Amino acid sequence: MASAPPNPAAATARRPAPTVRRLAPLVIFALLALLPLASMLGLPGHWLTLVTRAMIFAIAALSLDLILGIGGLISFGHAAYIGIGAYGAGILITEGQTELLVALPVILLACAVFAAVTGYVSLRTRGVAFIMITLAFGQMAFYFAQALSAYGGDDGLTLYEKSTLLGREIFSNRTGFYYIALGTLAACYWLARRVVASRFGRVLRAARENAVRVTITGYDVNHVRLGAYVISGMMAGLSGFLLANQTDFVSPAYMSWSRSGELIFMTVLGGVGSLYGAILGALAFLITEDVLSSLTQNWKIIFGPLIVLFVLFTHGGIAGLVSKLRGRRDG
Amino acid sequence: MTLSLLIVQLLNGLQFGVLLFLVAAGLTLVFGVMDFINLAHGVQYMLGAYLAVTFVSLTGSFLLGLVLALAAALLLGLALEFLVFRHLYERDHLDQVLATFGLILLLNQAVKMIWGAAPLSVPVPEFLSGNVRLMDGILYPVYRFALIAAGLGVGALLWFVVEKTRTGMLLRAGASNAPMVSALGVDIRKLFMIVFAFGTMLAGFAGAMAAPILSVEPGMGDTVLILAFVVIVVGGIGSIRGAFVGALIVGLVDTLGRSSMNDLLRLFMAPASARATGAALSSMLIYLVMAAVLFVKPDGLLPAKGRS
């Protein structure tokens, strides 16, 4: 593929046509909003839980796409923010504080601080070094959680209560939880779109293409990147908070480096830089994982090769495939 | 901590560092020459250990088992190169990260299915068993000395090949400008394959040598891979000398941190909280060292020459 001569069709494969870009998210969110209806008509209730979980991971994948797809920074430690969000909820609940309005600011602040500090160090490097450093910081968070013996350590922490909003139990109803996850995802998507469309987002994208030129224009590239990194980390923390409330369990495994790898795969699966692609990628990933793991305990032996084949034979992920198909029809 | 304990811990740190060097050298060589991120490198270390388990128990001889394990690890590596890696050389780093990540999932699970999830062990070979008396009251296992010697020997060999031979010259040239080397009539594909096979063998060798002193279990490669990353980031990506220095730093800091952090914190903390904090801090220590190094020198301590 790399040796193929550049042609206009290949160039558009990475960036979907404007109509697709505008329509695809609407279709996705409409379908997601209607899914609980299908479950009323007989779709097994298990699907509602599965798609809720997928939407929670979609928030994290979306946040990763913001720095990976738009900013061109491959963070291999993004699971750490899921972990901080989840542990934030878990520790507060264990200490008897279930109020969401207390937990969320604490979690968002913790994620912002962790992202600002580690981002500041990581962004001194480029390319592969950046991948490896973010990976190392992710591991640091992982080992820290493992050593938290007061909160379960290696075994993880079971939560006997869920977070509440002004004392009301908003997470106990399955359909209710579904719509909370959907609403959060939609809000994050809207926010990410706004960020990308803003002057800040344009500088971020320009810096991916040519950092030197952006610097000459008078912008501080590292400031912009760090800002995006912090926003992204906070968004991923939000997904960790929801995840802890869905599974009633928090464990260091939430931050393992393979989880970070899975998040990268979700964004790439959906199509890097398209934002809504990350949502599709997370859905596709978790549904495939669910189907395969119901077939065999050794599902990774099928899933691993699927990832390899996907990388070897496709470009631009699902979003790329969509516009490729369209391109073929149009041409 | 007494002096004798300190000496033992220094030797342990050195031995761990040497092991990390063997893994990190292959990783950084492949990256330096081919600009290829191979996350599956840790899995190749794990395969080396598992193959050693099988061949040592099959042949009953450690040396024969080691040789067979190395040969098998090499063949597996070449098969992977042919099937997967060769198609990724010209792709971007993201594709390489993802595809090799998929390979890790596959191979970790395959190892679990073939050898089981329970940890296995290899007996220390008889001719290397026993202890050496360093001074009064300090005994150190012969096998660990042998491991240090083997690692340093391989390191010296590597230095000789890279710095003094024609192949090494092409490697260094390929690392700074592959298209130019190719234009001069060198078969770059073949060169890549040799580098890759060599890197694989180093990882496999490290795994096989570590098998008698570590428990051989699925996922053991993942931990080592991440430590190897830290090593090459600290040392300078693509530089063998950097990998050597980085490996020794990481090996010593990690080992000494784990053994002394508890005592150190106990000087100004209650024993219970010192134990908890010590456990967390000593796991994180090398990452803190890495962050500190990068803060001062973003390219690592001994960056490779000729790379931009």
Side-chain angles (χ1 to χ4, degrees):
Chain A
M1 288 302 274
S3 57
N7 64 62
T12 51
R14 288 256 178 198
R15 274 183 74 74
T19 41
V20 174
R21 244 186 304 157
R22 214 162 296 145
L23 276 179
L26 287 177
V27 174
I28 295 167
F29 281 115
L31 286 177
L32 284 174
L34 291 176
L35 188 87
L37 281 180
S39 89
M40 265 177 231
L41 297 172
L43 189 76
H46 162 68
W47 276 87
L48 213 53
T49 312
L50 175 63
V51 176
T52 307
R53 188 177 159 81
M55 289 191 298
I56 292 173
F57 275 101
I59 296 170
L62 180 70
S63 78
L64 181 62
D65 200 23
L66 201 56
I67 50 171
L68 191 153
I70 310 298
L73 303 164
I74 307 177
S75 161
F76 209 131
H78 224 58
Y81 300 97
I82 298 186
I84 294 173
Y87 268 96
I91 290 172
L92 284 172
I93 289 173
T94 309
E95 297 299 334
Q97 175 58 262
T98 60
E99 182 53 53
L100 185 152
L101 293 179
V102 175
L104 276 187
V106 171
I107 288 167
L108 293 180
L109 184 70
C111 284
V113 169
F114 188 74
V117 173
T118 63
Y120 183 75
V121 178
S122 309
L123 283 169
R124 292 173 63 86
T125 62
R126 284 285 155 271
V128 189
F130 185 82
I131 299 179
M132 292 176 184
I133 290 161
T134 48
L135 178 66
F137 279 124
Q139 283 305 101
M140 205 155 99
F142 172 79
Y143 287 122
F144 182 76
Q146 235 180 16
L148 270 179
S149 52
Y151 299 103
D154 206 9
D155 299 324
L157 180 66
T158 303
L159 307 181
Y160 297 99
E161 277 180 282
K162 288 180 191 287
S163 296
T164 54
L165 176 61
L166 298 172
R168 296 224 319 272
E169 292 184 4
I170 54 166
F171 288 123
S172 46
N173 176 299
R174 189 158 65 181
T175 313
F177 201 140
Y178 181 92
Y179 280 112
I180 291 174
L182 178 61
T184 315
L185 176 61
C188 287
Y189 179 77
W190 178 79
L191 183 75
R193 269 261 160 270
R194 288 299 300 263
V195 168
V196 172
S198 68
R199 182 203 295 260
F200 173 84
R202 271 176 287 166
V203 175
L204 184 66
R205 234 179 318 158
R208 180 190 60 193
E209 304 301 334
N210 194 333
V212 176
R213 235 181 249 183
V214 175
T215 309
I216 293 168
T217 323
Y219 287 101
D220 189 331
V221 170
N222 263 7
H223 270 147
V224 175
R225 284 179 169 151
L226 190 60
Y229 199 73
V230 170
I231 295 173
S232 169
M234 288 164 78
M235 213 181 260
L238 208 55
S239 89
F241 170 77
L242 289 176
L243 191 65
N245 273 297
Q246 195 196 19
T247 53
D248 296 321
F249 182 68
V250 178
S251 98
Y254 284 17
M255 317 196 198
S256 74
W257 74 287
S258 56
R259 182 52 63 72
S260 296
E262 286 170 12
L263 284 177
I264 296 181
F265 183 57
M266 287 176 205
T267 37
V268 174
L269 180 64
V272 173
S274 66
L275 294 182
Y276 71 86
I279 302 173
L280 288 179
L283 284 166
F285 183 97
L286 279 135
I287 291 170
T288 311
E289 182 189 75
D290 187 75
V291 170
L292 286 180
S293 60
S294 70
L295 292 176
T296 163
Q297 200 191 340
N298 300 315
W299 60 276
K300 281 184 180 162
I301 205 133
I302 306 170
F303 204 59
L306 278 183
I307 296 183
V308 177
L309 291 175
F310 177 84
V311 174
L312 288 183
F313 293 109
T314 66
H315 265 292
I318 298 175
L321 278 178
V322 170
S323 52
K324 224 181 270 176
L325 287 176
R326 272 183 52 87
R328 215 164 279 164
R329 236 193 0 242
D330 293 350
Chain B
M1 196 153 68
T2 59
L3 180 68
S4 59
L5 190 61
L6 182 69
I7 291 174
V8 168
Q9 292 301 352
L10 279 175
L11 283 170
N12 279 342
L14 183 65
Q15 174 247 302
F16 185 42
V18 161
L19 208 60
L20 282 178
F21 168 66
L22 290 178
V23 180
L27 194 65
T28 204
L29 195 64
V30 167
F31 181 76
V33 177
M34 315 200 290
D35 197 27
F36 183 87
I37 313 182
N38 179 16
L39 293 190
H41 197 73
V43 176
Q44 281 151 346
Y45 163 88
M46 174 184 72
L47 285 174
Y50 270 101
L51 290 167
V53 169
T54 301
F55 285 118
V56 168
S57 70
L58 223 59
T59 59
S61 148
F62 181 78
L63 282 183
L64 192 58
L66 186 68
V67 171
L68 285 175
L70 270 187
L74 184 66
L75 283 179
L76 264 168
L78 285 175
L80 284 178
E81 200 270 348
F82 181 75
L83 288 172
V84 181
F85 297 133
R86 126 176 340 192
H87 311 287
L88 293 167
Y89 291 153
E90 283 161 9
R91 298 287 194 88
D92 59 15
H93 289 145
L94 190 56
D95 282 354
Q96 296 168 353
V97 163
L98 271 177
T100 51
F101 176 70
L103 280 181
I104 295 178
L105 293 185
L106 166 71
L107 291 171
N108 270 341
Q109 195 70 42
V111 160
K112 232 180 257 181
M113 287 166 74
I114 296 172
W115 281 282
L120 303 173
S121 62
V122 177
V124 173
E126 201 144 317
F127 66 99
L128 291 175
S129 62
N131 294 298
V132 179
R133 218 176 122 235
L134 289 180
M135 54 169 94
D136 275 332
I138 310 184
L139 294 173
Y140 201 73
V142 176
Y143 185 79
R144 286 177 185 258
F145 272 120
L147 212 168
I148 294 174
L152 293 179
V154 170
L157 186 72
L158 193 60
W159 172 82
F160 180 78
V161 169
V162 172
E163 294 290 327
K164 303 287 169 196
T165 65
R166 196 184 138 73
T167 316
M169 186 187 75
L170 291 178
L171 284 184
R172 280 176 289 135
S176 28
N177 194 338
M180 183 53 90
V181 175
S182 175
L184 290 173
V186 176
D187 186 347
I188 204 93
R189 291 235 149 217
K190 206 171 114 199
L191 186 69
F192 277 11
M193 211 171 77
I194 293 172
V195 173
F196 187 82
F198 196 61
T200 305
M201 220 167 61
L202 285 179
F205 179 68
M209 286 300 282
I213 51 170
L214 292 176
S215 69
V216 178
E217 55 195 348
M220 67 187 279
D222 302 355
T223 333
V224 167
L225 174 77
I226 288 157
L227 288 175
F229 271 167
V230 175
V231 164
I232 62 181
V233 166
V234 166
I237 295 171
S239 138
I240 301 275
R241 279 189 319 147
F244 186 72
V245 173
L248 290 189
I249 292 175
V250 170
L252 286 170
V253 166
D254 192 59
T255 308
L256 292 177
R258 275 175 210 284
S259 57
S260 64
M261 190 63 79
N262 204 346
D263 294 339
L264 210 65
L265 288 174
R266 221 182 270 206
L267 294 178
F268 46 87
M269 272 175 128
S273 51
R275 202 162 42 241
T277 324
L281 264 184
S282 56
S283 298
M284 289 161 46
L285 195 60
I286 52 164
Y287 302 106
L288 292 172
V289 169
M290 185 193 72
V293 167
L294 287 174
F295 193 77
V296 184
K297 298 191 80 172
D299 292 327
L301 292 173
L302 297 167
K305 282 168 278 179
R307 288 180 65 87
S308 51

